[in-house]
Amino acid sequence: MVNFTVEDHDGNRQEIEAPDDMGFSLMEILKASEYPVLATCGGMALCATCHVEVLEGKDELGEATDMELDQLENLPEYYPTSRLACQIRIGDILEGSVIKLRGEDQ
Ligand code: FES
């Protein structure tokens, strides 16, 4: 299991524990944890509604790939450590990180 912190749109933080051996993406875990992530493209890196900002742990998680940047650049606002949650695999690299939800919440 891997533990990390999620900050919602109101700034409330919650610790999340997720299995790291089942191939889930961060987007799937956020949805399963009942966060308002639309994920309209189903995790294909096409909708950017799973936009998150990596507040801590950015070195481990690395930078957005070109495919992610293509989507992020279309958003009204994105950040140096913005990522698409559907493109982050749950694994050790997430341990101790802090992830802020940035996608649309309706
Ligand atoms: S779920 Fe659509 S870009 Fe991540």
Side-chain angles (χ1 to χ4, degrees), residues 54-90:
V54 181
L55 297 182
E56 288 175 34
K58 40 193 176 287
D59 296 336
E60 288 74 22
L61 284 163
E63 291 177 9
T65 62
D66 287 348
M67 199 165 72
E68 292 176 67
L69 280 174
D70 281 349
Q71 293 302 322
L72 293 167
E73 282 169 356
N74 288 328
L75 294 171
E77 210 174 12
Y78 71 102
Y79 308 88
T81 58
S82 284
R83 298 292 308 266
L84 297 179
C86 66
Q87 301 303 303
I88 298 177
R89 260 324 112 204
I90 298 292

Side-chain angles (χ1 to χ4, degrees), residues 1 10 24-25 29 32 36 39 46 53 55 76 80 82 86 88 95 105:
M1 296 295 254
D10 299 324
F24 288 125
S25 70
I29 295 298
L46 293 174
E53 182 185 0
L55 297 182
S82 284
C86 66
I88 298 177
E95 183 68 43
D105 59 355

Side-chain angles (χ1 to χ4, degrees), residues 24 26-35:
F24 288 125
L26 176 58
M27 174 276 276
E28 290 168 314
I29 295 298
L30 292 173
K31 280 183 79 84
S33 306
E34 301 195 349
Y35 282 107

